[in-house]
């Protein structure tokens, strides 16, 4: 099976200033030598505590951040150095209310991003209405995004993430703050993407959601990989994925 | 496609800028207040061409403020609203997006020149006479180009740092003083004048002033115009080199987003 994401011994370090002057510097290992791969058409989960390194990993995969060392390939290309070949074919959604132009309408946001994704006018006309309908924003498409509820902004983020019909969609906690209907709609969209043969890499703190959606997953703790496999493999003899997750994190305590 | 990126970014930027109260203040109120202030300063100073110093000075101060607080500050706003990373990771060229923003802002900010002129004419009955109208238009086009390019260098450098607000505040007044927005640079100390001569807006302002008075020495006008274009071209080359480097640096230094 074609591996569309390949991560080998990936590390990312940040240098943080701990004192007022330059002498006080501390190196923080956000991602510390993780390896995994994702096959085309899979829904893959990246689980872990806050600060475990999930978002940093996604940022490296989405060409936003340079790895300190290790291999990070998307669609066969290095995410740092060959990013131009990756960018038209992927997209990403970060959870929360950021990442949209609030002083523009949903339609204007999508028009703008479709220009940045170099879509032709004909493609734009075809895709924008369909996506607005898909995320249930068609009725409010021409209202300014600043008048939207939190859930609507998040749905607009999802719409933006789908604008270029990506082969791989990266989602960082996409259901944070969504109401139950919104969260269900997102899960349906993710399943639909899988049916279309697209790959989704997602992080979430909702373990039931991860279990329901993911074909495979890895659990990261303090930048290192502590478990990987199908939800059933990770669950092992535990009653729920949450029990297994808590045990793994507890066992990894320093 | 590239034109669509440039045009849509320009339009987006104009919309985004105009709805911000601070931008509207810089664009609409600042030129009026600066015109009044400069008029009162120049009224008893023996300067006869209020257009050359009061209107142009106030208008250009407004234009520069808008550029500083919008073209430069917008990098920070995009960073804090989480859209800087999104636009950076699209297939569109990042420098082209930044250029679209800057052109949009600069064109919108030209309104400050008009407001300053209207204020001076309505409040102080300043006579509207341009000595060399065609050369004035040429100088104005050169000025816009030079401001667009200088903003591009600044915006590029500010992408690298999260201390954008500090830098844009530090830039505003020194450029007004060094480039002679409201007085001729010849009154500055020689060492400071050397610095002024390395800045393209200095020549742009001199050209505007020359054409307002009426150009008597065409050779001198085009000589200055050539110097302005040469320095602007140098900035453009610098900007191009910086953008190549920045594409790697921002991802190593992780400055696209707020930590």
């Amino acid at each position: 099976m074609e591996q569309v994401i390949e991560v080998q011994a990936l590390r990312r370090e940040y240098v943080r200033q701990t004192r007022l002057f330059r002498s006080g510097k501390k190196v923080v290992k956000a991602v510390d030598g993780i390896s995994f791969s994702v096959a085309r058409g899979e829904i893959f989960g990246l689980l872990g505590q806050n600060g475990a390194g999930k978002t940093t990993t996604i940022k490296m995969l989405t060409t936003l951040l340079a790895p300190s060392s290790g291999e990070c390939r998307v669609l066969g290309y290095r995410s740092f150095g060959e990013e131009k070949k990756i960018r038209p074919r992927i997209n990403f959604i970060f959870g929360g209310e950021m990442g949209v132009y609030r002083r523009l309408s949903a339609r204007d946001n999508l028009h703008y991003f479709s220009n940045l994704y170099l879509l032709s006018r004909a493609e734009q006309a075809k895709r924008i209405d369909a996506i607005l309908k898909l995320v249930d924003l068609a009725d409010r498409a021409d209202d300014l995004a600043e008048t939207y509820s939190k859930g609507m902004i998040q749905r607009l983020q999802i719409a933006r993430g789908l604008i270029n019909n990506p082969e791989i969609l990266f989602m960082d906690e996409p259901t944070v703050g969504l109401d139950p209907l919104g969260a269900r709609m997102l899960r349906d969209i993710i399943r639909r993407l899988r049916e279309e043969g697209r790959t989704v890499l997602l992080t979430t703190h909702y373990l039931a959601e991860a279990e329901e959606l993911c074909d495979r997953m890895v659990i990261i703790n303090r930048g290192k990989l502590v478990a990987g496999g199908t939800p059933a493999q990770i669950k092992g003899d535990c009653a729920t994925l949450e029990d297994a997750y808590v045990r793994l994190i507890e066992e990894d305590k320093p | 496609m590239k034109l669509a990126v440039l045009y849509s970014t320009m339009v987006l930027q104009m919309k985004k800028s105009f709805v911000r109260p601070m931008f509207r203040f810089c664009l609409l109120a600042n030129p009026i207040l600066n015109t009044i202030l400069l008029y009162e300063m120049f009224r008893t100073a023996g300067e006869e061409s209020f257009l050359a110093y009061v209107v142009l000075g106030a208008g250009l101060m407004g234009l520069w403020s808008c550029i500083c607080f919008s073209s430069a500050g917008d990098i920070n706003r995009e960073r804090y609203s989480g859209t800087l990373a999104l636009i950076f990771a699209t297939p569109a060229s990042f420098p082209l997006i930044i250029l679209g923003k800057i052109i949009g802002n600069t064109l919108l900010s030209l309104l400050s020149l008009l407001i300053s002129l209207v204020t001076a004419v309505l409040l102080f009955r300043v006579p509207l006479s341009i000595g060399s109208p065609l050369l004035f238009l040429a100088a104005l086009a050169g000025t816009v180009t030079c401001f667009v390019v200088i903003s591009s260098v600044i915006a590029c450098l500010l992408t690298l740092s999260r201390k954008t607000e500090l830098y844009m505040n530090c830039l505003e007044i020194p450029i007004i003083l060094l480039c002679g927005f409201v007085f001729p640079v010849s009154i500055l100390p020689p060492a400071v004048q050397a610095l002024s001569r390395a800045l393209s807006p200095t020549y742009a302002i001199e050209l505007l002033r020359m054409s307002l008075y009426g150009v008597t020495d065409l050779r001198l006008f085009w000589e200055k115009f050539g110097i302005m274009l040469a320095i602007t071209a140098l900035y453009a080359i610098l900007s191009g080199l910086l953008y190549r480097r920045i594409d790697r640096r921002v991802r190593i230094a992780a400055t696209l987003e707020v930590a």
Side-chain angles (χ1 to χ4, degrees):
Chain A
M1 206 169 201
E2 186 196 356
Q3 302 298 312
V4 288
I5 296 173
E6 291 165 287
V7 171
Q8 275 296 323
L10 185 64
R11 284 176 208 279
R12 170 69 205 200
E13 294 169 351
Y14 292 103
V15 178
R16 290 216 177 109
Q17 204 155 323
T18 54
R19 277 181 251 154
L20 187 60
F21 299 105
R22 288 185 177 272
S23 57
K25 280 185 177 171
K26 188 183 170 193
V27 175
V28 179
K29 289 178 180 171
V31 174
D32 193 6
I34 62 169
S35 302
F36 63 87
S37 61
V38 181
R40 186 178 288 280
E42 262 191 317
I43 297 180
F44 191 88
L46 207 54
L47 309 183
Q49 298 289 93
N50 289 330
K54 306 182 298 293
T55 302
T56 301
T57 305
I58 286 203
K59 282 181 183 169
M60 285 190 276
L61 288 165
T62 51
T63 80
L64 288 172
L65 200 60
S68 300
S69 67
E71 188 92 3
C72 184
R73 284 183 178 271
V74 177
L75 295 159
Y77 300 108
R78 282 178 288 118
S79 67
F80 188 63
E82 294 178 309
E83 59 280 344
K84 284 187 179 148
K85 291 172 180 160
I86 300 172
R87 286 173 180 168
R89 298 167 65 185
I90 65 164
N91 211 325
F92 53 94
I93 297 162
F94 292 136
E97 293 175 78
M98 309 263 280
V100 297
Y101 291 107
R102 290 169 166 267
R103 272 138 179 195
L104 295 186
S105 67
R107 192 184 301 281
D108 283 347
N109 265 283
L110 295 182
H111 265 300
Y112 182 57
F113 278 100
S114 57
N115 276 323
L116 298 190
Y117 276 93
L118 312 177
L119 302 188
S120 66
R121 285 207 172 263
E123 280 177 291
Q124 288 186 25
K126 200 168 67 184
R127 287 199 63 74
I128 291 173
D129 280 333
I131 292 175
L132 284 168
K133 209 170 157 190
L134 179 73
V135 298
D136 201 18
L137 279 178
D139 291 346
R140 299 280 309 271
D142 296 307
D143 295 349
L144 293 185
E146 66 185 2
T147 64
Y148 290 179
S149 67
K150 195 173 176 179
M152 288 168 78
I153 297 236
Q154 218 145 335
R155 280 186 272 150
L156 176 55
Q157 279 247 52
I158 297 162
R160 186 201 48 73
L162 296 172
I163 195 74
N164 60 327
N165 215 0
E167 287 173 51
I168 308 176
L169 186 61
F170 295 87
M171 299 174 136
D172 192 8
E173 299 182 30
T175 48
V176 164
L178 277 183
D179 55 43
L181 287 182
R184 177 179 282 188
M185 186 201 71
L186 181 69
R187 289 196 293 272
D188 289 342
I189 290 173
I190 293 173
R191 274 189 283 262
R192 192 182 303 185
L193 289 170
R194 174 167 49 193
E195 283 163 20
E196 290 172 4
R198 300 183 195 285
T199 310
V200 177
L201 187 144
L202 69 94
T203 75
T204 179
H205 285 299
Y206 305 124
L207 296 173
E209 181 177 86
E211 191 173 4
E212 182 189 334
L213 288 172
C214 296
D215 300 306
R216 286 190 309 129
M217 57 179 69
V218 290
I219 297 173
I220 302 177
N221 196 37
R222 293 183 291 122
K224 290 180 188 290
L225 209 125
V226 293
T230 62
Q233 283 168 340
I234 289 177
K235 222 157 63 172
D237 55 1
C238 293
T240 63
L241 183 64
E242 188 176 289
D243 290 342
Y245 175 88
V246 170
R247 194 170 72 182
L248 284 162
I249 299 296
E250 290 287 327
E251 283 172 2
D252 192 51
K253 267 189 179 165
Chain B
M1 294 284 187
K2 281 186 178 178
L3 266 180
V5 172
L6 196 69
Y7 179 73
S8 59
T9 307
M10 272 172 57
V11 173
L12 169 89
Q13 190 58 33
M14 285 182 175
K15 281 185 186 172
K16 273 176 58 200
S17 290
F18 201 75
V19 291
R20 280 192 306 108
M22 184 63 185
F23 185 88
R24 284 202 302 271
F25 177 81
C26 285
L27 182 69
L28 307 174
N30 238 3
I32 297 174
L33 299 174
N34 284 338
T35 305
I36 296 168
L37 177 74
L38 289 176
Y39 179 81
E40 291 304 329
M41 285 168 70
F42 277 88
R43 197 160 52 100
T44 52
E47 173 58 47
E48 286 177 7
S49 176
F50 289 107
L51 268 186
Y53 284 93
V54 175
V55 174
L56 206 57
L60 288 171
M61 280 165 73
L63 175 68
W64 180 242
S65 296
C66 288
I67 286 173
C68 264
F69 289 100
S70 205
S71 296
D74 202 61
I75 297 288
N76 226 26
R77 273 184 288 279
E78 296 264 3
R79 184 180 281 132
Y80 276 85
S81 66
T83 47
L84 186 63
L86 298 179
I87 59 173
F88 184 85
T90 62
S93 145
F94 187 62
L96 192 67
I97 298 172
I98 297 295
L99 186 65
K101 284 178 174 297
I102 289 167
I103 294 176
N105 268 332
T106 310
L107 290 180
L108 187 58
S109 307
L110 281 175
L111 196 58
S112 62
L113 272 170
L114 187 68
I115 291 172
S116 178
L117 178 69
V118 171
T119 308
V121 170
L122 291 181
L123 288 186
F124 308 119
R125 307 283 171 220
V126 168
L128 181 62
S129 69
I130 300 174
S132 310
L134 285 178
L135 292 178
F136 179 80
L137 284 178
L140 191 62
T143 305
V144 171
T145 311
C146 129
F147 275 111
V148 164
V149 173
I150 203 168
S151 309
S152 165
V153 178
I154 294 167
C156 174
L157 290 171
L158 296 183
T159 312
L160 278 173
S161 173
R162 294 197 189 119
K163 294 175 187 161
T164 312
E165 276 173 20
L166 169 71
Y167 299 138
M168 66 194 194
N169 276 299
C170 291
L171 272 171
E172 191 195 5
I173 301 295
I175 292 289
I176 289 174
L177 298 178
L178 282 171
C179 298
F181 280 35
V182 286
F183 51 76
V185 288
S186 56
I187 67 166
L188 292 170
V192 180
Q193 273 189 51
L195 193 55
S196 301
R197 292 288 162 206
L199 297 166
S200 56
T202 305
Y203 299 92
I205 293 153
E206 283 181 352
L207 288 166
L208 287 170
R209 239 170 240 152
M210 279 172 86
S211 57
L212 279 177
Y213 285 125
V215 177
T216 50
D217 186 345
L218 260 180
R219 205 178 69 86
L220 182 66
F221 180 88
W222 291 115
E223 197 179 289
K224 280 185 189 283
F225 203 95
I227 297 172
M228 180 191 72
L229 287 186
I231 297 176
T232 303
L234 275 179
Y235 291 167
I237 293 167
L238 175 71
S239 173
L241 292 173
L242 280 170
Y243 273 115
R244 274 194 196 171
R245 195 164 155 64
I246 211 174
D247 187 57
R248 291 179 66 81
R249 270 313 302 168
V250 289
R251 288 184 291 151
I252 292 168
T255 56
L256 281 170
E257 291 167 293
V258 186

